[in-house]
Amino acid sequence: MKKKLMKALVYHGPGNKSWEEKEKPVIQHPSDAIVRITKTTICGTDLHILKGDVPEVVDGRTLGHEGVGVIEETGGFVTRFKKGDHVLISCITSCGICEYCRKGIYSHCENGGWILGHLIDGTQAEYVRIPYADTSLYKIPDNSDEEALVMLSDILPTGYECGVLNGKIEPGSTVAIIGAGPIGLAALLTAQFYAPSEIIMIDPDDNRLSVAKKMGATKTINNHVEMATEKVLSFTQNKGVDTVIEAVGIPETFELCQSLVVAGGVIANVGVHGKSVNLHLEQLWSKNITITTRLVDTSSTPMLMKTVQSGKLNSKQLITHRFKLFEIIRAYECFGQAAKEKSLKVILSND
Amino acid sequence: MKKKLMKALVYHGPGNKSWEEKEKPVIQHPSDAIVRITKTTICGTDLHILKGDVPEVVDGRTLGHEGVGVIEETGGFVTRFKKGDHVLISCITSCGICEYCRKGIYSHCENGGWILGHLIDGTQAEYVRIPYADTSLYKIPDNSDEEALVMLSDILPTGYECGVLNGKIEPGSTVAIIGAGPIGLAALLTAQFYAPSEIIMIDPDDNRLSVAKKMGATKTINNHVEMATEKVLSFTQNKGVDTVIEAVGIPETFELCQSLVVAGGVIANVGVHGKSVNLHLEQLWSKNITITTRLVDTSSTPMLMKTVQSGKLNSKQLITHRFKLFEIIRAYECFGQAAKEKSLKVILSND
Amino acid sequence: MKKKLMKALVYHGPGNKSWEEKEKPVIQHPSDAIVRITKTTICGTDLHILKGDVPEVVDGRTLGHEGVGVIEETGGFVTRFKKGDHVLISCITSCGICEYCRKGIYSHCENGGWILGHLIDGTQAEYVRIPYADTSLYKIPDNSDEEALVMLSDILPTGYECGVLNGKIEPGSTVAIIGAGPIGLAALLTAQFYAPSEIIMIDPDDNRLSVAKKMGATKTINNHVEMATEKVLSFTQNKGVDTVIEAVGIPETFELCQSLVVAGGVIANVGVHGKSVNLHLEQLWSKNITITTRLVDTSSTPMLMKTVQSGKLNSKQLITHRFKLFEIIRAYECFGQAAKEKSLKVILSND
Amino acid sequence: MKKKLMKALVYHGPGNKSWEEKEKPVIQHPSDAIVRITKTTICGTDLHILKGDVPEVVDGRTLGHEGVGVIEETGGFVTRFKKGDHVLISCITSCGICEYCRKGIYSHCENGGWILGHLIDGTQAEYVRIPYADTSLYKIPDNSDEEALVMLSDILPTGYECGVLNGKIEPGSTVAIIGAGPIGLAALLTAQFYAPSEIIMIDPDDNRLSVAKKMGATKTINNHVEMATEKVLSFTQNKGVDTVIEAVGIPETFELCQSLVVAGGVIANVGVHGKSVNLHLEQLWSKNITITTRLVDTSSTPMLMKTVQSGKLNSKQLITHRFKLFEIIRAYECFGQAAKEKSLKVILSND
């Protein structure tokens, strides 16, 4: 039987990618579903892969772990979805039965976790195979705003779970978010679920800070031209903030977090770090603080869908550029030159 | 020495009250403060007292447990306040040192609790004595909006602590509030701190329902003309809501709560009940629900002040009428005829 | 093909049961497993069914929802078990993929819940079919103590989840447990995980109270001959206890709970109620209490297995009598005449 | 008036201390109490001070922050204690009214915190002045075991709050404690409140490990002769433990913590660190872990007293040596040479 072909964005080693023909995925296990992609997007992690920072990604791998689409085919074990269903794809694949999944830590699923566009072919393609479809896809109403929902594949649960939930943001509390890229902004949007009294956004890019202001930041600090610690202390009667969210991933910003947190507060790390950092236990041992790390579990996805559908969360604000799926190489350029292009999230449509 | 006089609203047994001269309060214990009232208000509980429902209130008692004012004098143990400080009076007096206060259950303080306008003279007067001032008053900035803050003496912490916090409202969750009086509306306003996807307000008064709509209710049900249970089920795919807040205090409304709550949900009672109610354990024993009761602790007052000051909470929306303090008898009439006068909270100013 | 036969305890309407031959179960859905029972037991719920109190149970149904056994056969979707594996059967069947299962509320699983010996054939038989085997069975080591583990099918998770966890027992806290039957004793055993300072056991049967004393109760009250409320108050400086666990299921005992709970405390209902009860909101509205109900989710089963295996929980103490499986009619008599036989849990062995 | 004298252990700069006469303390503020010490002890922190590591401690300071005694005199604001009352002294002084105290973070009390034997004279003396007596002392029954209770001034709340509570130990969970000195052993004793299935104790001193075994450790590792990481992994199916408690305070042991914690687990720091440490965010960023620090708040003291009084906690096990108070110089030698003397906590009695 002749294999069917489709187009996909394929990784060919550090610095190399191409939009090319490859075989359309097929059901490999009865819990799989094949999804025709209607909308997808590009993540900062995809840029890391292209730099060669994620060596598990092999030559020939289709990239991408975000998307919305339509079920094309389901394996025999799939009970919650059928051909034609409109679905949101979670960046985390969850088997639903291992010890970690039963605890809600889907990111450490023994059979899944982050595998799309990483250990198996991903979503920047016309079709994608999703293992454990029953517990890794979410049905969406047919009249849904697909663009708003693509933001829920990864970036919004990441900002919410790793930043806001771990950061224990509460009504009236004070928050600083370091990094106003898409993830930091996702934390900013979802932090507002809890009515904090201050959300201070810190970033060296004035454009991103002005975006943050529009999205609800109460204060902004350009930490290339201002002393961030001094300003935050001046905003908080010299105490520091209740929650600091690290959304960059370098030693300098983690250092800054430690100088901003109040006694009894939380540092919630979201950034992907490539190096170890210096932890000032000689000062912090007696400060009653909590530091958290987390790979997104996407356990909050059903809740986030409700907040989008009820209008509490305007996730589309994060989208700055739109392309056709076949224009993905140009879309990568736009996304990769974020400061110049003033890009946040880009949408790729497969119409 | 001649005793100084002031004016106060004095209870003289069921049905009787008068605005009359009485002695100005003096420091009785070194932890006391004397506060000159600048703004006060009337609570539904004051109406209960006047009906004779609260027999501990004796003839001669000055009513009222809410207010904002200025420190006139402090006892020798008071360390946080001095003459001239602008303060918010909490309806709950907390000694700060008993077992309950150390746990944050100020409402059951062994030396305080709800005593103002109940066991000792209250705030509907030109001056009031506040015991345990250090832990029962809150300093407010001089330029504060006093009207907004009077709402934080009782009604907003009550709606928030007894309804919203106990009700475990979360982003995306569904809420029904039974009773759109001032307390139900206070729960409605503070429920929005947590971005629930639905807040369904249930009341027999169309005016109050239209106020609720303006204050953020997503749906309203007039339970005199509509079947509340059927409508709530129709809004929630026949499941019921995650949180039901009871803000009336009669057996019928508590019965309604039990028919609205989803498996795994919460019924948070706020209403003051005069009779026992029927609890359907023959249905609910297996439904994994939680029922809570609470007299407000006012432990959330510092947080609520931050949300008012940062503009997250517009507490003044609850105020419908304004009077001079000496017009308090008229103010009681207005407040007592709530449906006719379309009154919610009334402000009494002592300028 | 000739159908294979086995022996089973079959319900034939109120008051009627028999140990008879019926068809051995077969795989009906690829997520099923067939388990050969090695040990099972009888639950108070089985007696309720036999009285006709559970009308969903139809004539011909094999009873029983507890047991340990060996996998005989697995359907094609089962990934965690294979023929010959030694397993603990959970009384709750969990599909693992519905909204409730994803939240850990397995008792309200849309596809399972309590179905064994209720809506489908149960475990008081030589073989049983277990749907959703991957998420409804637990692998046990081959050298496990089967008797200890049968107690984890239902009774220990019930006492623990509905009584101890919902009751928020903490180190140093005070607990009263009403009802010293198997469920109340299961709550007693697992309450000790949290080092409460007092566990007061209340029951009208002196034998059960002396068993409770041996299992760790610090005080016992025979509420047929003593005034339970007065005694509990005398043990607690007239405050009442932090947690009351209701393990009987009648209005009188729920009434007693309300008189024993301290301000700020919890009433955790475990008992199966057949009638509504009177809830004294006229007294409790201001007492800051929590009332919980729950059908066991068995989400604590993996944890309980660890406590049995590490010797922290001696679940075998609950077993008073042992029978061969074919002696089950006699075992029911023994279990049914608990006071006379001094029986708690009975073990049925299929050797 | 002639000043009264007493004996005290006085610090005279790094390396110098003496048991000498100095003025007996007097009430300085009406919230003070003067306590006659009956039992006190020595803390590892006292050794740090004597090394010169705590520069805020000035020449002339009486050391010590632990003790039990009898009220000699109370200031005019003290309401909960009177002359002759038997009391436990908390190492943390709490004013009860500042923002931190109202949140239960007494260690960061704006008017107190750790001041005894640090910023004001301490308890290694015949008499001590305790500020904010109402909220910094705990009444004990006259027939109490004073030795058992001295252990509750600092060491047991420290092990419990900073290690066990922050470490979120749960029934069935696995725990590793690094450091089997008095603090590590206090964590070991109180960890057992929660029935973990494994408590692995790691220390280079075989004597301390054998003590740990007697106190309830399920496994011990001598990390001078064994590979701690490999052994812990071998005990836990290569996963690591749910909770790691750091009770040493050096970079090497914090490094070890990071290699022992399971995905989703907690590192609870108790140790006092003098240097910053290396935090491997390049590995941990995606591991869903929590790291906590804490100076003891002693908010658990009332609870710990209940566990001692009910026999759930045998705190006296930590005491290895007993001296008269005037023998304190010898007691310091014994405590300072812990390995040689096999000393844990020493008791000093002022009879």
Side-chain angles (χ1 to χ4, degrees):
Chain A
M1 191 184 86
K2 189 153 161 273
K3 297 237 168 111
K4 289 187 185 148
L5 296 177
M6 67 163 186
K7 289 283 207 140
L9 195 274
V10 182
Y11 174 72
H12 293 299
N16 292 312
K17 61 179 182 298
S18 75
W19 178 247
E20 63 189 38
E21 274 200 338
K22 67 185 292 184
E23 284 175 22
K24 194 185 148 186
V26 295
I27 298 288
Q28 295 183 13
H29 183 275
S31 71
D32 291 347
I34 305 299
V35 177
R36 179 172 56 80
I37 294 293
T38 53
K39 295 268 188 306
T40 185
T41 180
I42 306 171
C43 181
T45 306
D46 297 321
L47 301 184
H48 277 292
I49 293 170
L50 283 163
K51 280 190 199 139
D53 292 348
V54 189
E56 312 89 87
V57 182
V58 297
D59 184 351
R61 177 68 65 235
T62 302
L63 296 181
H65 50 266
E66 300 164 278
V68 163
V70 175
I71 299 277
E72 181 84 0
E73 190 185 352
T74 55
F77 298 9
V78 175
T79 63
R80 290 168 71 81
F81 300 102
K82 61 177 194 306
K83 185 177 160 76
D85 281 352
H86 214 150
V87 293
L88 168 65
I89 299 167
S90 176
C91 68
I92 296 294
T93 300
S94 163
C95 75
I97 62 177
C98 74
E99 185 184 354
Y100 289 102
C101 283
R102 293 294 264 185
K103 287 184 191 168
I105 311 181
Y106 308 155
S107 58
H108 289 79
C109 172
E110 293 171 2
N111 305 300
W114 174 41
I115 56 173
L116 285 176
H118 178 210
L119 307 181
I120 66 171
D121 282 343
T123 58
Q124 291 168 1
E126 292 176 314
Y127 296 90
V128 64
R129 179 180 69 90
I130 303 294
Y132 302 104
D134 273 342
T135 41
S136 307
L137 295 174
Y138 294 91
K139 194 176 283 191
I140 61 178
D142 280 341
N143 59 351
S144 296
D145 182 334
E146 291 191 323
E147 291 193 349
L149 290 170
V150 173
M151 300 295 109
L152 270 57
S153 283
D154 175 347
I155 194 164
L156 278 159
T158 295
Y160 177 67
E161 296 176 13
C162 308
V164 174
L165 261 195
N166 273 9
K168 293 183 193 146
I169 296 177
E170 292 183 351
S173 70
T174 52
V175 181
I177 300 174
I178 305 177
I183 290 285
L185 293 169
L188 169 63
L189 288 175
T190 53
Q192 294 170 70
F193 288 164
Y194 296 94
S197 61
E198 291 280 1
I199 312 178
I200 304 164
M201 210 79 192
I202 302 172
D203 195 277
D205 180 325
D206 277 332
N207 174 56
R208 289 189 160 189
L209 291 176
S210 77
V211 169
K213 211 72 207 234
K214 279 181 211 133
M215 291 188 187
T218 59
K219 305 258 184 347
T220 60
I221 299 174
N222 182 322
N223 58 331
H224 269 204
V225 300
E226 299 178 286
M227 304 292 276
T229 305
E230 284 68 13
K231 285 214 81 168
V232 168
L233 291 176
S234 78
F235 293 150
T236 56
Q237 298 104 52
N238 281 313
K239 287 183 184 164
V241 292
D242 299 313
T243 301
V244 192
I245 296 176
E246 207 282 359
V248 178
I250 57 173
E252 291 73 16
T253 46
F254 194 78
E255 191 86 26
L256 179 56
C257 291
Q258 299 176 63
S259 69
L260 299 185
V261 68
V262 75
V266 183
I267 298 172
N269 186 75
V270 190
V272 177
H273 290 258
K275 297 187 210 163
S276 69
V277 302
N278 208 16
L279 178 64
H280 293 286
L281 280 186
E282 80 282 12
Q283 293 160 21
L284 297 174
W285 73 269
S286 63
K287 213 173 163 182
N288 298 38
I289 66 154
T290 300
I291 300 167
T292 62
T293 72
R294 187 167 181 176
L295 178 59
V296 65
D297 293 303
T298 66
S299 50
S300 66
T301 303
M303 178 282 275
L304 290 168
M305 289 173 62
K306 289 179 196 165
T307 62
V308 168
Q309 280 150 9
S310 65
K312 302 292 171 193
L313 175 62
N314 178 358
S315 56
K316 281 177 74 171
Q317 294 174 80
L318 293 167
I319 301 169
T320 52
H321 295 74
R322 288 167 177 82
F323 298 88
K324 295 287 175 190
L325 180 54
F326 62 78
E327 301 171 309
I328 190 164
I329 299 291
R330 270 181 49 211
Y332 261 91
E333 275 165 32
C334 170
F335 181 68
Q337 301 190 308
K340 181 181 150 211
E341 299 284 349
K342 303 194 175 183
S343 59
L344 293 167
K345 291 294 278 186
V346 303
I347 283 285
L348 295 154
S349 299
N350 181 31
D351 305 325
Chain B
M1 190 185 86
K2 188 150 163 273
K3 297 240 169 105
K4 287 188 186 147
L5 296 178
M6 69 163 184
K7 288 283 206 139
L9 194 274
V10 181
Y11 174 72
H12 292 299
N16 293 311
K17 61 179 181 300
S18 74
W19 176 248
E20 64 189 38
E21 274 199 338
K22 66 184 291 183
E23 284 173 24
K24 194 184 149 186
V26 294
I27 298 287
Q28 294 182 15
H29 183 276
S31 71
D32 291 347
I34 305 299
V35 177
R36 179 171 57 81
I37 294 293
T38 52
K39 295 269 189 305
T40 183
T41 180
I42 305 172
C43 181
T45 306
D46 297 322
L47 302 183
H48 277 292
I49 293 171
L50 282 164
K51 280 189 200 140
D53 291 350
V54 189
E56 311 89 88
V57 181
V58 296
D59 184 353
R61 176 69 64 236
T62 300
L63 297 181
H65 49 267
E66 300 165 276
V68 163
V70 175
I71 299 277
E72 181 84 1
E73 189 186 352
T74 55
F77 299 8
V78 176
T79 62
R80 290 168 71 80
F81 301 102
K82 62 176 193 306
K83 186 176 160 80
D85 281 352
H86 214 149
V87 292
L88 169 65
I89 299 167
S90 176
C91 68
I92 296 295
T93 300
S94 163
C95 76
I97 62 177
C98 73
E99 185 184 355
Y100 288 102
C101 282
R102 293 293 264 185
K103 286 183 189 167
I105 311 181
Y106 308 155
S107 58
H108 290 78
C109 171
E110 294 171 2
N111 304 301
W114 174 42
I115 56 173
L116 285 176
H118 179 210
L119 307 181
I120 66 170
D121 282 343
T123 59
Q124 291 168 2
E126 292 176 313
Y127 296 90
V128 64
R129 178 180 69 90
I130 304 293
Y132 302 104
D134 273 342
T135 42
S136 305
L137 295 174
Y138 293 91
K139 195 175 284 190
I140 61 178
D142 280 342
N143 60 351
S144 295
D145 183 333
E146 290 191 323
E147 292 193 349
L149 290 170
V150 173
M151 300 296 109
L152 269 57
S153 283
D154 177 346
I155 194 164
L156 278 160
T158 296
Y160 177 67
E161 296 175 13
C162 309
V164 174
L165 260 195
N166 272 9
K168 293 183 193 147
I169 296 177
E170 292 183 351
S173 70
T174 53
V175 181
I177 300 175
I178 304 176
I183 290 286
L185 294 169
L188 169 63
L189 289 176
T190 54
Q192 294 170 69
F193 288 164
Y194 296 94
S197 62
E198 291 280 1
I199 311 179
I200 304 164
M201 209 79 192
I202 303 172
D203 195 278
D205 181 326
D206 277 332
N207 173 57
R208 290 190 160 189
L209 291 176
S210 77
V211 169
K213 210 79 204 232
K214 279 181 212 134
M215 291 189 186
T218 59
K219 305 258 184 349
T220 60
I221 299 173
N222 182 321
N223 59 332
H224 269 203
V225 300
E226 299 179 285
M227 303 292 277
T229 305
E230 284 67 14
K231 285 214 82 169
V232 168
L233 291 176
S234 78
F235 294 150
T236 56
Q237 298 105 53
N238 281 311
K239 287 183 185 165
V241 291
D242 299 312
T243 301
V244 192
I245 296 177
E246 208 281 359
V248 178
I250 58 173
E252 292 73 16
T253 46
F254 194 78
E255 192 85 26
L256 179 56
C257 290
Q258 299 176 63
S259 69
L260 300 184
V261 68
V262 75
V266 184
I267 298 173
N269 186 76
V270 191
V272 176
H273 290 259
K275 296 187 211 164
S276 68
V277 303
N278 208 15
L279 178 64
H280 292 286
L281 280 186
E282 79 281 13
Q283 292 160 20
L284 298 174
W285 73 269
S286 63
K287 212 172 165 185
N288 299 38
I289 66 154
T290 300
I291 299 168
T292 62
T293 72
R294 187 167 180 177
L295 179 59
V296 65
D297 293 303
T298 65
S299 50
S300 65
T301 304
M303 178 282 274
L304 290 168
M305 288 173 63
K306 289 179 196 164
T307 62
V308 168
Q309 280 151 9
S310 65
K312 301 291 171 192
L313 175 62
N314 178 359
S315 57
K316 280 176 75 170
Q317 294 175 81
L318 293 168
I319 301 169
T320 53
H321 295 75
R322 287 166 178 84
F323 298 88
K324 295 287 175 190
L325 180 53
F326 62 77
E327 302 171 309
I328 189 164
I329 299 290
R330 270 180 52 210
Y332 261 91
E333 275 165 32
C334 170
F335 181 68
Q337 300 191 308
K340 182 182 149 209
E341 299 283 350
K342 302 193 175 182
S343 59
L344 293 167
K345 290 295 277 185
V346 303
I347 283 286
L348 294 153
S349 299
N350 181 31
D351 305 323
Chain C
M1 190 184 86
K2 190 152 160 270
K3 299 237 169 108
K4 289 188 185 149
L5 297 177
M6 68 163 185
K7 289 283 205 140
L9 194 277
V10 181
Y11 174 72
H12 291 300
N16 293 310
K17 63 181 180 297
S18 75
W19 177 248
E20 64 188 38
E21 274 199 338
K22 66 185 293 183
E23 283 174 25
K24 194 184 148 184
V26 295
I27 298 288
Q28 294 182 15
H29 183 273
S31 70
D32 292 346
I34 304 299
V35 177
R36 179 171 58 81
I37 294 293
T38 53
K39 295 268 189 304
T40 184
T41 180
I42 306 171
C43 181
T45 306
D46 297 322
L47 301 184
H48 277 292
I49 293 171
L50 282 164
K51 280 189 198 140
D53 292 348
V54 189
E56 311 89 87
V57 182
V58 296
D59 184 352
R61 177 68 64 237
T62 300
L63 297 181
H65 50 266
E66 301 165 277
V68 163
V70 175
I71 298 277
E72 181 85 0
E73 188 186 353
T74 56
F77 298 9
V78 176
T79 63
R80 290 168 72 81
F81 301 101
K82 61 177 192 306
K83 185 177 161 78
D85 281 351
H86 214 148
V87 292
L88 168 65
I89 299 167
S90 175
C91 67
I92 296 295
T93 301
S94 163
C95 76
I97 62 177
C98 74
E99 185 185 355
Y100 289 102
C101 282
R102 293 294 263 186
K103 286 183 190 167
I105 311 182
Y106 308 155
S107 59
H108 290 78
C109 171
E110 293 170 3
N111 304 301
W114 174 42
I115 57 173
L116 285 177
H118 179 210
L119 307 181
I120 67 171
D121 283 343
T123 59
Q124 292 169 359
E126 292 176 312
Y127 296 90
V128 64
R129 178 181 68 89
I130 303 295
Y132 303 104
D134 273 342
T135 41
S136 306
L137 295 173
Y138 294 92
K139 194 176 284 190
I140 60 179
D142 280 342
N143 59 352
S144 296
D145 182 333
E146 289 192 323
E147 291 193 350
L149 290 170
V150 173
M151 300 296 108
L152 270 56
S153 282
D154 178 346
I155 194 164
L156 278 160
T158 295
Y160 176 67
E161 295 175 13
C162 309
V164 174
L165 262 194
N166 272 9
K168 292 184 195 146
I169 296 177
E170 292 183 352
S173 70
T174 53
V175 181
I177 300 175
I178 305 177
I183 289 286
L185 294 169
L188 169 62
L189 289 176
T190 53
Q192 295 170 69
F193 289 163
Y194 296 95
S197 61
E198 291 280 2
I199 311 179
I200 303 165
M201 209 80 192
I202 303 172
D203 196 278
D205 180 325
D206 278 331
N207 173 56
R208 290 190 159 188
L209 291 176
S210 76
V211 169
K213 209 79 204 232
K214 280 180 211 133
M215 291 188 186
T218 59
K219 304 256 183 351
T220 60
I221 299 174
N222 183 321
N223 59 332
H224 268 203
V225 300
E226 300 179 285
M227 304 292 277
T229 305
E230 284 68 12
K231 285 213 82 168
V232 168
L233 291 177
S234 78
F235 293 149
T236 56
Q237 298 105 52
N238 281 311
K239 287 182 185 165
V241 292
D242 299 313
T243 301
V244 192
I245 296 177
E246 208 283 358
V248 178
I250 58 173
E252 292 74 15
T253 45
F254 194 79
E255 191 86 26
L256 178 56
C257 291
Q258 299 176 62
S259 68
L260 300 185
V261 68
V262 76
V266 184
I267 297 172
N269 186 75
V270 191
V272 177
H273 290 258
K275 296 186 212 165
S276 69
V277 301
N278 209 16
L279 177 64
H280 292 286
L281 279 186
E282 79 282 12
Q283 293 160 20
L284 297 174
W285 74 267
S286 62
K287 212 172 164 184
N288 298 38
I289 66 154
T290 300
I291 299 167
T292 62
T293 72
R294 187 167 181 178
L295 179 59
V296 64
D297 293 302
T298 66
S299 50
S300 65
T301 303
M303 178 283 274
L304 290 168
M305 289 173 62
K306 289 178 196 166
T307 62
V308 168
Q309 280 151 9
S310 64
K312 302 292 173 193
L313 176 62
N314 178 357
S315 57
K316 279 176 77 171
Q317 295 175 80
L318 294 167
I319 301 169
T320 53
H321 295 75
R322 288 167 177 84
F323 297 88
K324 295 287 175 191
L325 180 54
F326 62 78
E327 301 171 311
I328 190 165
I329 299 291
R330 269 181 52 210
Y332 261 92
E333 274 166 30
C334 170
F335 181 69
Q337 300 191 308
K340 182 181 149 212
E341 300 284 349
K342 302 193 176 183
S343 59
L344 294 166
K345 291 295 277 186
V346 303
I347 283 285
L348 295 153
S349 299
N350 181 32
D351 304 325
Chain D
M1 191 184 85
K2 189 152 162 271
K3 296 239 169 107
K4 289 187 185 148
L5 297 177
M6 68 163 184
K7 289 283 206 137
L9 194 275
V10 181
Y11 174 72
H12 292 299
N16 293 311
K17 61 180 181 297
S18 75
W19 176 247
E20 63 189 38
E21 274 199 338
K22 67 185 290 184
E23 283 175 23
K24 194 184 148 186
V26 295
I27 298 288
Q28 295 182 13
H29 184 274
S31 71
D32 291 347
I34 304 300
V35 177
R36 179 171 58 80
I37 294 292
T38 52
K39 296 267 189 307
T40 184
T41 180
I42 306 171
C43 181
T45 306
D46 297 320
L47 302 184
H48 277 292
I49 293 171
L50 283 164
K51 280 190 200 139
D53 290 350
V54 190
E56 311 89 87
V57 181
V58 296
D59 184 352
R61 178 68 64 235
T62 301
L63 296 181
H65 50 266
E66 300 165 277
V68 164
V70 176
I71 298 278
E72 181 85 1
E73 189 186 351
T74 55
F77 298 8
V78 175
T79 63
R80 290 167 71 81
F81 300 103
K82 62 177 194 307
K83 186 177 160 75
D85 281 352
H86 214 149
V87 292
L88 169 65
I89 299 167
S90 176
C91 67
I92 295 295
T93 301
S94 162
C95 76
I97 61 177
C98 74
E99 185 185 354
Y100 289 102
C101 282
R102 293 295 264 186
K103 286 182 189 168
I105 311 182
Y106 308 156
S107 58
H108 290 79
C109 171
E110 293 171 3
N111 304 301
W114 173 41
I115 56 172
L116 285 176
H118 179 210
L119 307 181
I120 66 170
D121 282 343
T123 59
Q124 292 169 1
E126 292 176 312
Y127 296 90
V128 64
R129 179 180 68 90
I130 303 294
Y132 302 104
D134 272 343
T135 41
S136 306
L137 295 174
Y138 294 91
K139 194 176 283 189
I140 61 178
D142 280 341
N143 59 352
S144 295
D145 183 333
E146 290 191 324
E147 292 192 349
L149 289 170
V150 173
M151 300 296 108
L152 270 57
S153 281
D154 176 347
I155 194 164
L156 278 160
T158 295
Y160 177 66
E161 296 175 13
C162 309
V164 174
L165 261 195
N166 273 9
K168 292 183 196 146
I169 296 178
E170 291 183 352
S173 70
T174 52
V175 181
I177 301 175
I178 305 177
I183 289 286
L185 294 169
L188 169 63
L189 289 176
T190 53
Q192 295 170 68
F193 288 164
Y194 295 95
S197 61
E198 291 280 2
I199 312 179
I200 304 164
M201 210 79 192
I202 303 172
D203 195 278
D205 180 325
D206 278 331
N207 174 56
R208 291 190 158 188
L209 290 175
S210 76
V211 169
K213 209 76 205 232
K214 280 181 211 133
M215 291 188 186
T218 59
K219 304 256 185 351
T220 60
I221 299 174
N222 183 320
N223 60 332
H224 268 202
V225 299
E226 299 179 286
M227 304 292 277
T229 304
E230 284 67 13
K231 284 213 84 169
V232 168
L233 292 176
S234 77
F235 293 149
T236 56
Q237 298 104 52
N238 282 311
K239 286 183 187 165
V241 291
D242 299 312
T243 301
V244 192
I245 297 177
E246 207 283 358
V248 179
I250 57 173
E252 292 74 15
T253 46
F254 194 78
E255 191 86 25
L256 179 56
C257 291
Q258 300 176 61
S259 68
L260 300 185
V261 68
V262 75
V266 184
I267 298 172
N269 186 75
V270 191
V272 177
H273 290 258
K275 297 187 211 162
S276 69
V277 302
N278 208 16
L279 178 64
H280 292 287
L281 280 186
E282 80 281 14
Q283 293 160 20
L284 297 174
W285 74 268
S286 63
K287 212 172 166 184
N288 299 37
I289 66 153
T290 300
I291 299 167
T292 62
T293 72
R294 187 168 180 177
L295 179 60
V296 65
D297 293 303
T298 65
S299 50
S300 65
T301 304
M303 179 283 275
L304 290 168
M305 288 174 63
K306 289 178 196 165
T307 62
V308 168
Q309 280 152 9
S310 64
K312 301 292 172 192
L313 175 62
N314 178 358
S315 56
K316 279 177 75 171
Q317 295 174 81
L318 293 167
I319 301 169
T320 52
H321 294 75
R322 288 167 177 83
F323 297 88
K324 295 287 175 191
L325 181 54
F326 62 78
E327 302 172 310
I328 190 163
I329 299 290
R330 269 181 53 209
Y332 261 92
E333 275 166 31
C334 170
F335 181 69
Q337 299 190 308
K340 181 181 150 211
E341 301 282 350
K342 301 194 175 182
S343 59
L344 294 166
K345 290 295 276 187
V346 303
I347 283 286
L348 295 154
S349 298
N350 181 32
D351 304 324

